[in-house]
C-alpha cells in the first residue's frame, strides 16, 4: 500500500509531500511528489508541454509504443549518457533548458 512522508528537494529545503508506492519489480519504490509544482506555475508548464516539439515515440519490434516520451534533465549537459533503459527502449535525456519554463 502507498505510504506518505516528506522530503526536501535539491532546489528547496522546504519539505514536500511524498507518496511512496511499493513496486513488485525488484522490491523497489516509486516516489511521487504530487505538489512539487506550485499551482501558480502549473498553467505555464502545461502550456509549454502542450506545445513542446521534443516528444519521441519509440518502437519495440515492429510496433510503436502507445505513448510518447520526453525526458528532461539538469544533468544532461554534463553527463549526456544520462537516461532511461526499459524493455529495450533506450532514451537519452535532453537538457532541461530546452524547455525554459522548467528551470
Amino acid at each position: 500500500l502507498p505510504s506518505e512522508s516528506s522530503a526536501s528537494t535539491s532546489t528547496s529545503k522546504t519539505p514536500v509531500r511524498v507518496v511512496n508506492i511499493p513496486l513488485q519489480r525488484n522490491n523497489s519504490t516509486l516516489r511521487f511528489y504530487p505538489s512539487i509544482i506550485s499551482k501558480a506555475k502549473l498553467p505555464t508548464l502545461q502550456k509549454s508541454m502542450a506545445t513542446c516539439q521534443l516528444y519521441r515515440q519509440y518502437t519495440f519490434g515492429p510496433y510503436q509504443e502507445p505513448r510518447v516520451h520526453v525526458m528532461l534533465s539538469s544533468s544532461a549537459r554534463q553527463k549526456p549518457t544520462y537516461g532511461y533503459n526499459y524493455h529495450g527502449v533506450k532514451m537519452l535525456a535532453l537538457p532541461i533548458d530546452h524547455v525554459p519554463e522548467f528551470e
Side-chain angles (χ1 to χ4, degrees):
L1 294 172
S3 64
E4 290 197 31
S5 62
S6 62
S8 297
T9 65
S10 60
T11 57
S12 171
K13 300 302 176 208
T14 306
V16 295
R17 183 173 158 235
V18 181
V19 178
N20 297 300
I21 303 168
L23 303 175
Q24 291 180 1
R25 174 169 271 210
N26 297 327
N27 199 25
S28 55
T29 301
L30 172 67
R31 290 194 179 117
F32 175 63
Y33 298 83
S35 303
I36 201 158
I37 299 172
S38 72
K39 288 184 180 182
K41 192 170 185 177
L42 192 56
T44 303
L45 294 176
Q46 287 173 325
K47 183 178 179 184
S48 176
M49 293 313 296
T51 59
C52 180
Q53 299 296 310
L54 302 174
Y55 289 102
R56 296 170 274 188
Q57 187 172 28
Y58 291 89
T59 59
F60 52 99
Y63 307 103
Q64 288 195 327
E65 282 195 320
R67 60 190 160 275
V68 294
H69 306 263
V70 64
M71 180 181 279
L72 304 171
S73 171
S74 57
S75 302
R77 288 223 186 274
Q78 299 86 13
K79 190 176 176 186
T81 58
Y82 186 81
Y84 169 90
N85 183 358
Y86 184 72
H87 285 289
V89 173
K90 295 178 183 176
M91 180 170 42
L92 290 178
L94 298 169
I96 200 164
D97 60 7
H98 280 36
V99 182
E101 295 81 1
F102 273 96
E103 290 192 277

